[in-house]
Amino acid sequence: MVQRFEESPEVQTASVQHLNSDSISEGVVAGLREALGPTKGSTIPLHEPEFSDIEFSIMQDCLKSGWVSSLGPFVTQFEEALQTVTGARHVIAMASGTAALHLILHAIGVRPGDEVIVPALSFVATANAVSHCHASPHFVDSELITLGLCPIALRRRLAEIATNDNGVLKNRITGAAIKAVVPMHAFGHPCQIEEIISVAREFELPVVEDAAESLGSSVRGRHTGSFGVAGMLSFNGNKVVTTGNGGAVLTNDSSLAVRLRHLSTTAKVSHSWRYQHDEIGWNYRLPNLNAALGCAQLSKLPDILVRKRRLSARYQEVFSRISSTTFTSESRNSLSNYWLNTIQLLTDDIRVRDATLQAAHDAGYLCRPAWDLLSSLPMYTTSPRGPLTNAAKIERSLICLPSGPRLEK
Ligand SMILES: *Cc1c(COP(=O)(O)O)cnc(C)c1O
Protein backbone atom coordinates (compact mmCIF):
# COMPACT_ATOMS: atom_id res chain seq x y z
CA MET A 1 0.00 0.00 0.00
CA VAL A 2 2.71 2.43 1.02
CA GLN A 3 4.82 1.33 -1.93
CA ARG A 4 1.99 1.95 -4.37
CA PHE A 5 1.29 5.33 -2.84
CA GLU A 6 4.92 6.39 -3.15
CA GLU A 7 5.03 5.48 -6.80
CA SER A 8 1.81 7.27 -7.73
CA PRO A 9 2.08 10.45 -9.80
CA GLU A 10 0.04 12.36 -7.19
CA VAL A 11 2.99 12.22 -4.84
CA GLN A 12 5.36 13.57 -7.49
CA THR A 13 2.95 16.42 -8.10
CA ALA A 14 2.60 17.18 -4.42
CA SER A 15 6.35 17.17 -3.89
CA VAL A 16 6.89 19.81 -6.54
CA GLN A 17 4.01 22.06 -5.66
CA HIS A 18 6.29 24.22 -3.57
CA LEU A 19 8.29 24.90 -6.75
CA ASN A 20 5.20 26.74 -8.01
CA SER A 21 4.20 26.39 -11.62
CA ASP A 22 3.67 30.14 -12.14
CA SER A 23 7.09 31.13 -10.91
CA ILE A 24 8.73 28.47 -13.11
CA SER A 25 6.97 29.66 -16.27
CA GLU A 26 7.63 33.31 -15.41
CA GLY A 27 11.30 32.49 -14.90
CA VAL A 28 11.56 30.75 -18.27
CA VAL A 29 9.79 33.58 -20.13
CA ALA A 30 12.05 36.14 -18.41
CA GLY A 31 15.05 34.04 -19.49
CA LEU A 32 13.83 33.98 -23.10
CA ARG A 33 13.30 37.74 -23.03
CA GLU A 34 16.77 38.30 -21.64
CA ALA A 35 18.46 35.96 -24.14
CA LEU A 36 16.51 36.97 -27.26
CA GLY A 37 15.14 40.41 -26.53
CA PRO A 38 11.46 41.40 -26.60
CA THR A 39 9.25 39.97 -29.39
CA LYS A 40 7.65 43.37 -30.11
CA GLY A 41 4.27 41.84 -30.92
CA SER A 42 5.61 39.32 -33.47
CA THR A 43 6.55 35.69 -32.84
CA ILE A 44 9.95 34.01 -32.76
CA PRO A 45 9.81 30.58 -34.44
CA LEU A 46 11.55 27.48 -33.12
CA HIS A 47 13.87 27.20 -36.10
CA GLU A 48 13.71 28.75 -39.55
CA PRO A 49 15.86 28.43 -42.65
CA GLU A 50 17.92 31.35 -43.85
CA PHE A 51 18.23 32.15 -47.57
CA SER A 52 20.15 34.90 -49.31
CA ASP A 53 21.50 35.74 -52.78
CA ILE A 54 23.63 32.58 -52.91
CA GLU A 55 20.51 30.37 -52.75
CA PHE A 56 18.51 32.50 -55.22
CA SER A 57 21.30 32.54 -57.78
CA ILE A 58 22.17 28.82 -57.56
CA MET A 59 18.49 27.86 -57.95
CA GLN A 60 18.34 30.01 -61.09
CA ASP A 61 21.48 28.35 -62.48
CA CYS A 62 19.96 24.94 -61.82
CA LEU A 63 16.70 25.81 -63.59
CA LYS A 64 18.58 27.25 -66.55
CA SER A 65 20.62 24.03 -66.86
CA GLY A 66 17.42 22.00 -67.33
CA TRP A 67 18.70 19.32 -64.89
CA VAL A 68 16.05 19.27 -62.19
CA SER A 69 15.55 15.57 -61.32
CA SER A 70 17.71 13.02 -59.61
CA LEU A 71 20.67 13.25 -61.95
CA GLY A 72 22.79 16.31 -62.33
CA PRO A 73 25.98 18.05 -61.33
CA PHE A 74 24.63 19.57 -58.09
CA VAL A 75 23.85 16.11 -56.66
CA THR A 76 27.50 15.12 -57.09
CA GLN A 77 28.75 18.47 -55.83
CA PHE A 78 26.49 18.22 -52.76
CA GLU A 79 27.68 14.69 -52.00
CA GLU A 80 31.32 15.74 -52.30
CA ALA A 81 30.79 18.72 -50.03
CA LEU A 82 29.18 16.42 -47.45
CA GLN A 83 32.14 14.03 -47.70
CA THR A 84 34.41 16.95 -46.81
CA VAL A 85 32.24 18.06 -43.88
CA THR A 86 31.67 14.59 -42.40
CA GLY A 87 34.80 12.69 -43.40
CA ALA A 88 32.59 9.82 -44.60
CA ARG A 89 34.13 7.90 -47.50
CA HIS A 90 30.78 7.62 -49.31
CA VAL A 91 27.79 9.93 -49.29
CA ILE A 92 24.56 9.16 -51.15
CA ALA A 93 22.04 12.01 -51.30
CA MET A 94 18.45 10.89 -50.74
CA ALA A 95 14.97 12.35 -51.04
CA SER A 96 14.57 12.52 -47.24
CA GLY A 97 16.21 11.42 -44.02
CA THR A 98 13.45 8.85 -43.54
CA ALA A 99 14.11 7.41 -47.01
CA ALA A 100 17.83 7.24 -46.23
CA LEU A 101 17.25 5.36 -42.97
CA HIS A 102 14.69 3.02 -44.51
CA LEU A 103 17.05 2.08 -47.33
CA ILE A 104 20.06 1.55 -45.03
CA LEU A 105 18.00 -0.80 -42.84
CA HIS A 106 16.74 -2.71 -45.88
CA ALA A 107 20.24 -2.94 -47.37
CA ILE A 108 21.81 -4.33 -44.18
CA GLY A 109 19.16 -7.05 -44.12
CA VAL A 110 16.24 -5.88 -41.96
CA ARG A 111 13.31 -8.00 -43.14
CA PRO A 112 9.60 -8.43 -42.24
CA GLY A 113 9.16 -9.68 -38.68
CA ASP A 114 12.61 -8.55 -37.47
CA GLU A 115 13.25 -6.12 -34.62
CA VAL A 116 15.46 -3.03 -34.58
CA ILE A 117 16.41 -1.30 -31.33
CA VAL A 118 15.65 2.44 -31.27
CA PRO A 119 15.38 5.05 -28.51
CA ALA A 120 11.79 5.74 -27.44
CA LEU A 121 12.80 9.40 -27.23
CA SER A 122 13.16 10.32 -30.89
CA PHE A 123 11.32 11.81 -33.81
CA VAL A 124 8.77 9.39 -35.28
CA ALA A 125 10.84 8.84 -38.44
CA THR A 126 13.36 6.68 -36.55
CA ALA A 127 10.69 4.09 -35.78
CA ASN A 128 8.80 4.58 -39.06
CA ALA A 129 11.90 3.68 -41.09
CA VAL A 130 11.93 0.35 -39.21
CA SER A 131 8.22 -0.13 -39.92
CA HIS A 132 8.76 0.60 -43.62
CA CYS A 133 10.87 -2.61 -43.60
CA HIS A 134 7.81 -4.36 -42.02
CA ALA A 135 9.95 -4.85 -38.92
CA SER A 136 9.23 -3.75 -35.32
CA PRO A 137 10.98 -1.02 -33.38
CA HIS A 138 12.14 -2.27 -29.97
CA PHE A 139 12.33 0.68 -27.59
CA VAL A 140 15.21 1.23 -25.17
CA ASP A 141 15.75 4.03 -22.64
CA SER A 142 17.80 7.21 -23.00
CA GLU A 143 20.25 8.77 -20.57
CA LEU A 144 19.83 12.16 -18.94
CA ILE A 145 23.10 13.85 -19.94
CA THR A 146 23.21 13.55 -23.74
CA LEU A 147 19.48 12.68 -24.10
CA GLY A 148 20.55 9.83 -26.41
CA LEU A 149 20.17 6.04 -26.22
CA CYS A 150 21.66 4.80 -22.93
CA PRO A 151 24.51 2.29 -23.47
CA ILE A 152 23.90 0.79 -20.02
CA ALA A 153 20.19 0.29 -20.67
CA LEU A 154 21.09 -1.18 -24.06
CA ARG A 155 23.46 -3.73 -22.55
CA ARG A 156 20.99 -4.57 -19.78
CA ARG A 157 18.15 -5.07 -22.24
CA LEU A 158 20.20 -7.21 -24.61
CA ALA A 159 21.58 -9.29 -21.74
CA GLU A 160 18.02 -9.84 -20.55
CA ILE A 161 16.28 -10.73 -23.80
CA ALA A 162 18.83 -11.51 -26.51
CA THR A 163 20.10 -14.96 -27.35
CA ASN A 164 22.42 -16.15 -30.09
CA ASP A 165 20.53 -18.67 -32.21
CA ASN A 166 22.97 -20.20 -34.74
CA GLY A 167 24.69 -16.89 -35.34
CA VAL A 168 21.44 -14.89 -35.38
CA LEU A 169 20.72 -12.59 -32.44
CA LYS A 170 17.15 -13.26 -31.36
CA ASN A 171 14.69 -11.84 -28.89
CA ARG A 172 13.97 -14.78 -26.57
CA ILE A 173 10.52 -13.44 -25.75
CA THR A 174 9.19 -12.68 -29.24
CA GLY A 175 11.39 -15.08 -31.20
CA ALA A 176 12.20 -12.29 -33.68
CA ALA A 177 15.70 -11.61 -34.98
CA ILE A 178 17.22 -8.37 -33.70
CA LYS A 179 18.98 -6.90 -36.73
CA ALA A 180 20.33 -3.49 -35.76
CA VAL A 181 20.42 -0.71 -33.20
CA VAL A 182 19.75 2.90 -34.26
CA PRO A 183 21.08 5.46 -31.76
CA MET A 184 20.06 9.05 -32.45
CA HIS A 185 21.93 12.27 -31.67
CA ALA A 186 19.13 14.23 -30.02
CA PHE A 187 18.79 17.94 -30.80
CA GLY A 188 22.32 17.82 -32.26
CA HIS A 189 24.08 16.58 -29.09
CA PRO A 190 26.21 13.52 -29.80
CA CYS A 191 25.00 10.50 -27.83
CA GLN A 192 27.51 8.16 -26.12
CA ILE A 193 28.22 6.60 -29.50
CA GLU A 194 31.57 4.99 -28.65
CA GLU A 195 30.04 3.17 -25.67
CA ILE A 196 27.02 2.13 -27.76
CA ILE A 197 29.32 0.80 -30.49
CA SER A 198 31.20 -1.28 -27.94
CA VAL A 199 28.00 -2.76 -26.43
CA ALA A 200 26.71 -3.51 -29.93
CA ARG A 201 30.01 -5.22 -30.79
CA GLU A 202 29.62 -7.56 -27.77
CA PHE A 203 26.32 -8.72 -29.25
CA GLU A 204 27.49 -8.49 -32.90
CA LEU A 205 24.71 -6.04 -33.61
CA PRO A 206 25.17 -3.53 -36.50
CA VAL A 207 24.89 0.15 -35.51
CA VAL A 208 23.11 2.57 -37.84
CA GLU A 209 23.22 6.18 -36.67
CA ASP A 210 20.28 8.53 -36.98
CA ALA A 211 22.32 11.72 -37.35
CA ALA A 212 19.38 13.60 -38.87
CA GLU A 213 19.79 16.46 -36.40
CA SER A 214 23.54 16.48 -35.94
CA LEU A 215 25.25 17.81 -39.07
CA GLY A 216 28.40 19.50 -37.73
CA SER A 217 28.45 17.54 -34.43
CA SER A 218 31.34 15.26 -33.58
CA VAL A 219 32.90 13.07 -30.89
CA ARG A 220 36.68 13.38 -30.50
CA GLY A 221 36.79 15.07 -33.89
CA ARG A 222 34.90 12.30 -35.65
CA HIS A 223 31.62 13.36 -37.25
CA THR A 224 28.35 11.87 -36.00
CA GLY A 225 26.92 9.36 -38.45
CA SER A 226 30.35 7.95 -39.31
CA PHE A 227 30.76 5.52 -36.39
CA GLY A 228 28.45 2.66 -37.32
CA VAL A 229 28.03 0.64 -40.53
CA ALA A 230 26.15 3.64 -41.90
CA GLY A 231 24.46 6.81 -40.73
CA MET A 232 22.07 9.31 -42.18
CA LEU A 233 21.42 13.06 -42.19
CA SER A 234 18.24 15.06 -42.85
CA PHE A 235 17.91 18.34 -44.72
CA ASN A 236 14.30 19.01 -43.87
CA GLY A 237 13.33 22.68 -43.66
CA ASN A 238 13.82 22.88 -39.89
CA LYS A 239 17.27 21.25 -39.75
CA VAL A 240 20.65 23.02 -39.54
CA VAL A 241 20.85 23.30 -43.33
CA THR A 242 18.03 22.47 -45.70
CA THR A 243 17.40 21.21 -49.22
CA GLY A 244 13.62 21.67 -48.79
CA ASN A 245 13.21 17.95 -48.25
CA GLY A 246 16.23 15.72 -48.38
CA GLY A 247 18.64 13.42 -46.64
CA ALA A 248 21.89 11.57 -47.12
CA VAL A 249 23.52 8.27 -46.26
CA LEU A 250 27.05 8.30 -44.82
CA THR A 251 29.08 5.11 -44.96
CA ASN A 252 32.68 3.94 -45.20
CA ASP A 253 31.60 0.60 -46.72
CA SER A 254 32.04 0.74 -50.51
CA SER A 255 29.84 -2.23 -51.35
CA LEU A 256 27.02 -0.91 -49.15
CA ALA A 257 27.36 2.46 -50.91
CA VAL A 258 27.09 0.85 -54.35
CA ARG A 259 24.06 -1.14 -53.23
CA LEU A 260 22.32 1.95 -51.77
CA ARG A 261 22.88 3.97 -54.95
CA HIS A 262 21.42 1.11 -56.97
CA LEU A 263 18.37 0.58 -54.74
CA SER A 264 17.62 4.30 -54.55
CA THR A 265 17.56 4.74 -58.32
CA THR A 266 14.87 2.11 -59.10
CA ALA A 267 17.56 -0.61 -59.23
CA LYS A 268 18.24 0.35 -62.84
CA VAL A 269 21.08 -1.48 -64.51
CA SER A 270 23.42 1.02 -66.09
CA HIS A 271 22.96 1.05 -69.86
CA SER A 272 22.88 3.87 -72.40
CA TRP A 273 19.34 3.16 -73.66
CA ARG A 274 17.74 0.08 -72.07
CA TYR A 275 15.30 0.14 -69.16
CA GLN A 276 16.50 -2.83 -67.22
CA HIS A 277 15.90 -3.22 -63.48
CA ASP A 278 17.25 -6.23 -61.62
CA GLU A 279 15.14 -6.02 -58.43
CA ILE A 280 12.43 -3.91 -56.79
CA GLY A 281 14.07 -0.55 -56.16
CA TRP A 282 12.95 2.83 -54.87
CA ASN A 283 12.80 6.33 -56.29
CA TYR A 284 14.65 7.81 -53.33
CA ARG A 285 17.39 9.99 -54.85
CA LEU A 286 17.66 13.68 -54.09
CA PRO A 287 16.62 15.84 -57.09
CA ASN A 288 19.27 18.13 -58.58
CA LEU A 289 17.05 21.14 -57.79
CA ASN A 290 17.15 20.32 -54.08
CA ALA A 291 20.85 19.49 -54.21
CA ALA A 292 21.53 22.94 -55.68
CA LEU A 293 19.87 24.52 -52.65
CA GLY A 294 21.92 22.19 -50.45
CA CYS A 295 25.20 23.30 -52.05
CA ALA A 296 24.42 26.94 -51.29
CA GLN A 297 23.35 26.09 -47.75
CA LEU A 298 26.43 23.96 -47.04
CA SER A 299 28.70 26.83 -48.06
CA LYS A 300 27.25 28.71 -45.08
CA LEU A 301 27.50 25.83 -42.59
CA PRO A 302 30.67 27.04 -40.80
CA ASP A 303 29.09 30.45 -40.25
CA ILE A 304 25.76 28.94 -39.13
CA LEU A 305 27.57 26.71 -36.61
CA VAL A 306 29.49 29.66 -35.16
CA ARG A 307 26.30 31.66 -34.72
CA LYS A 308 24.47 28.70 -33.18
CA ARG A 309 27.27 28.29 -30.64
CA ARG A 310 27.05 31.97 -29.71
CA LEU A 311 23.30 31.68 -29.20
CA SER A 312 23.74 28.56 -27.06
CA ALA A 313 26.39 30.30 -24.95
CA ARG A 314 23.94 33.15 -24.34
CA TYR A 315 21.15 30.73 -23.37
CA GLN A 316 23.51 28.80 -21.11
CA GLU A 317 24.60 31.99 -19.36
CA VAL A 318 21.00 33.15 -18.83
CA PHE A 319 19.49 29.82 -17.80
CA SER A 320 22.33 28.93 -15.44
CA ARG A 321 20.99 31.77 -13.26
CA ILE A 322 17.43 30.35 -13.28
CA SER A 323 17.34 27.78 -10.53
CA SER A 324 14.29 25.82 -11.72
CA THR A 325 15.93 24.82 -15.02
CA THR A 326 19.05 23.14 -16.34
CA PHE A 327 20.47 23.90 -19.77
CA THR A 328 21.54 20.92 -21.90
CA SER A 329 25.12 21.42 -22.99
CA GLU A 330 27.47 19.24 -25.02
CA SER A 331 29.21 16.59 -22.98
CA ARG A 332 32.88 15.84 -22.59
CA ASN A 333 34.82 15.00 -25.78
CA SER A 334 31.92 16.00 -27.96
CA LEU A 335 31.05 19.02 -30.04
CA SER A 336 27.34 19.77 -30.53
CA ASN A 337 25.89 21.76 -33.41
CA TYR A 338 23.26 23.04 -30.93
CA TRP A 339 20.56 22.46 -33.54
CA LEU A 340 17.94 23.03 -30.85
CA ASN A 341 18.80 24.51 -27.49
CA THR A 342 16.92 22.75 -24.72
CA ILE A 343 16.33 23.21 -21.03
CA GLN A 344 14.95 20.73 -18.55
CA LEU A 345 12.61 21.83 -15.78
CA LEU A 346 13.53 20.49 -12.37
CA THR A 347 10.10 18.90 -12.06
CA ASP A 348 8.61 16.18 -14.19
CA ASP A 349 5.06 17.33 -13.57
CA ILE A 350 3.89 17.62 -17.18
CA ARG A 351 1.38 20.33 -16.22
CA VAL A 352 4.23 22.64 -15.28
CA ARG A 353 5.87 21.94 -18.66
CA ASP A 354 2.63 22.69 -20.49
CA ALA A 355 1.96 25.86 -18.49
CA THR A 356 5.49 27.01 -19.29
CA LEU A 357 5.06 26.26 -23.01
CA GLN A 358 1.75 28.14 -23.02
CA ALA A 359 3.28 31.16 -21.26
CA ALA A 360 6.20 31.18 -23.73
CA HIS A 361 3.78 31.01 -26.70
CA ASP A 362 1.64 33.79 -25.23
CA ALA A 363 4.79 35.92 -25.00
CA GLY A 364 5.65 35.16 -28.66
CA TYR A 365 8.46 32.60 -28.13
CA LEU A 366 7.43 29.45 -29.99
CA CYS A 367 9.03 26.86 -27.70
CA ARG A 368 8.16 23.18 -28.12
CA PRO A 369 8.24 20.06 -25.94
CA ALA A 370 10.28 16.95 -26.75
CA TRP A 371 8.48 14.34 -28.83
CA ASP A 372 5.81 12.16 -27.24
CA LEU A 373 7.59 8.88 -26.56
CA LEU A 374 7.36 6.72 -29.69
CA SER A 375 6.33 3.79 -27.50
CA SER A 376 3.14 5.70 -26.62
CA LEU A 377 2.02 6.40 -30.20
CA PRO A 378 -1.01 4.34 -31.31
CA MET A 379 0.90 2.33 -33.92
CA TYR A 380 3.66 1.41 -31.45
CA THR A 381 1.77 0.68 -28.22
CA THR A 382 2.33 -3.07 -28.61
CA SER A 383 5.98 -2.85 -29.75
CA PRO A 384 8.58 -4.51 -27.52
CA ARG A 385 10.37 -2.26 -25.02
CA GLY A 386 12.58 -2.18 -21.97
CA PRO A 387 12.02 0.19 -19.02
CA LEU A 388 11.78 3.81 -20.24
CA THR A 389 12.20 5.75 -17.00
CA ASN A 390 14.65 8.40 -18.20
CA ALA A 391 12.93 8.87 -21.54
CA ALA A 392 9.64 9.51 -19.71
CA LYS A 393 11.34 11.97 -17.39
CA ILE A 394 12.86 13.88 -20.32
CA GLU A 395 9.56 13.84 -22.18
CA ARG A 396 7.84 15.46 -19.21
CA SER A 397 10.43 18.11 -18.40
CA LEU A 398 12.21 19.16 -21.60
CA ILE A 399 11.57 22.39 -23.47
CA CYS A 400 13.10 23.29 -26.86
CA LEU A 401 13.99 26.97 -27.16
CA PRO A 402 13.91 29.05 -30.35
CA SER A 403 17.26 28.28 -32.02
CA GLY A 404 17.37 29.66 -35.56
CA PRO A 405 20.81 30.97 -36.55
CA ARG A 406 19.36 34.44 -37.18
CA LEU A 407 18.55 34.88 -33.46
CA GLU A 408 22.21 35.35 -32.67
CA LYS A 409 22.04 38.97 -33.87
C1 LIG B 1 14.25 15.07 -39.11
C2 LIG B 1 14.49 13.73 -38.55
C3 LIG B 1 14.40 12.55 -39.31
C4 LIG B 1 13.81 12.45 -40.67
O1 LIG B 1 14.18 13.27 -41.62
P1 LIG B 1 13.23 13.70 -42.84
O2 LIG B 1 14.23 14.29 -43.75
O3 LIG B 1 12.23 14.67 -42.32
O4 LIG B 1 12.61 12.45 -43.40
C5 LIG B 1 14.76 11.35 -38.72
N1 LIG B 1 15.14 11.28 -37.45
C6 LIG B 1 15.22 12.36 -36.68
C7 LIG B 1 15.67 12.21 -35.28
C8 LIG B 1 14.87 13.62 -37.18
O5 LIG B 1 14.92 14.68 -36.39
Side-chain angles (χ1 to χ4, degrees):
M1 192 65 195
V2 171
Q3 188 68 23
R4 200 176 63 86
F5 185 68
E6 277 177 0
E7 281 178 353
S8 77
E10 286 79 5
V11 173
Q12 285 183 356
T13 306
S15 70
V16 297
Q17 238 150 30
H18 69 274
L19 270 168
N20 193 315
S21 173
D22 286 351
S23 76
I24 292 177
S25 52
E26 278 165 24
V28 170
V29 172
L32 286 163
R33 207 169 273 133
E34 186 182 342
L36 302 179
T39 55
K40 303 189 191 97
S42 64
T43 53
I44 297 187
L46 186 70
H47 204 285
E48 57 183 348
E50 198 183 47
F51 303 125
S52 57
D53 290 349
I54 314 175
E55 281 83 359
F56 290 111
S57 104
I58 205 166
M59 294 308 282
Q60 237 168 16
D61 292 348
C62 182
L63 288 170
K64 280 184 198 151
S65 79
W67 292 93
V68 293
S69 283
S70 47
L71 276 178
F74 287 118
V75 177
T76 313
Q77 195 182 315
F78 185 55
E79 289 176 343
E80 286 169 358
L82 285 170
Q83 277 175 304
T84 307
V85 173
T86 63
R89 213 167 298 153
H90 307 280
V91 174
I92 305 118
M94 296 276 179
S96 73
T98 312
L101 187 53
H102 171 205
L103 222 51
I104 296 169
L105 294 174
H106 175 81
I108 65 165
V110 176
R111 291 293 174 268
D114 291 343
E115 289 177 15
V116 173
I117 294 183
V118 305
L121 185 83
S122 184
F123 179 59
V124 70
T126 315
N128 284 352
V130 175
S131 302
H132 295 330
C133 297
H134 304 282
S136 276
H138 184 137
F139 299 110
V140 167
D141 208 5
S142 300
E143 38 91 16
L144 298 168
I145 306 297
T146 68
L147 312 178
L149 188 73
C150 175
I152 297 165
L154 177 65
R155 179 184 279 116
R156 193 176 293 145
R157 184 66 181 160
L158 287 170
E160 183 191 339
I161 56 114
T163 176
N164 188 320
D165 183 0
N166 284 321
V168 181
L169 193 70
K170 285 198 172 164
N171 180 336
R172 242 197 292 271
I173 302 161
T174 60
I178 305 172
K179 288 289 185 66
V181 54
V182 185
M184 192 274 285
H185 305 284
F187 310 111
H189 303 307
C191 67
Q192 293 180 21
I193 188 65
E194 292 173 321
E195 292 77 1
I196 291 168
I197 294 270
S198 96
V199 173
R201 195 170 289 141
E202 279 173 43
F203 292 88
E204 296 178 44
L205 192 59
V207 175
V208 174
E209 286 170 83
D210 182 339
E213 304 176 354
S214 62
L215 177 67
S217 305
S218 56
V219 177
R220 291 180 217 279
R222 189 162 160 190
H223 199 281
T224 53
S226 69
F227 288 82
V229 287
M232 56 55 114
L233 302 167
S234 165
F235 307 107
N236 188 270
N238 68 353
K239 298 286 171 25
V240 173
V241 302
T242 187
T243 59
N245 236 356
V249 172
L250 311 177
T251 183
N252 293 328
D253 180 330
S254 341
S255 57
L256 182 60
V258 168
R259 177 122 181 87
L260 286 167
R261 268 178 210 283
H262 186 62
L263 285 173
S264 63
T265 46
T266 64
K268 186 179 177 299
V269 178
S270 176
H271 191 280
S272 38
W273 39 261
R274 273 186 71 185
Y275 292 109
Q276 196 189 6
H277 307 264
D278 59 4
E279 62 183 305
I280 299 172
W282 282 266
N283 176 13
Y284 268 5
R285 283 287 263 161
L286 184 72
N288 199 47
L289 203 53
N290 301 71
L293 184 58
C295 290
Q297 286 267 290
L298 269 188
S299 72
K300 297 172 166 178
L301 180 66
D303 175 59
I304 291 174
L305 292 175
V306 166
R307 286 187 285 145
K308 289 181 82 65
R309 281 195 91 72
R310 277 196 213 127
L311 178 62
S312 76
R314 176 131 40 99
Y315 271 135
Q316 179 153 22
E317 202 265 311
V318 168
F319 281 95
S320 66
R321 283 186 270 109
I322 298 173
S323 60
S324 54
T325 65
T326 55
F327 179 82
T328 316
S329 43
E330 65 200 359
S331 43
R332 212 158 41 90
N333 298 323
S334 75
L335 196 69
S336 174
N337 65 6
Y338 286 99
W339 170 53
L340 289 186
N341 291 283
T342 65
I343 51 170
Q344 276 176 262
L345 305 179
L346 297 188
T347 161
D348 52 9
D349 181 347
I350 202 158
R351 291 172 301 176
V352 177
R353 180 199 80 173
D354 289 350
T356 305
L357 286 165
Q358 190 59 54
H361 274 243
D362 292 346
Y365 303 97
L366 305 187
C367 298
R368 300 285 293 270
W371 312 277
D372 282 19
L373 293 192
L374 301 181
S375 48
S376 73
L377 301 181
M379 58 286 195
Y380 296 126
T381 44
T382 59
S383 306
R385 70 202 57 200
L388 300 170
T389 321
N390 290 340
K393 196 180 161 100
I394 297 165
E395 177 195 34
R396 298 166 76 84
S397 62
L398 186 127
I399 289 180
C400 299
L401 308 175
S403 299
R406 229 184 279 185
L407 296 175
E408 187 265 323
K409 298 203 177 83

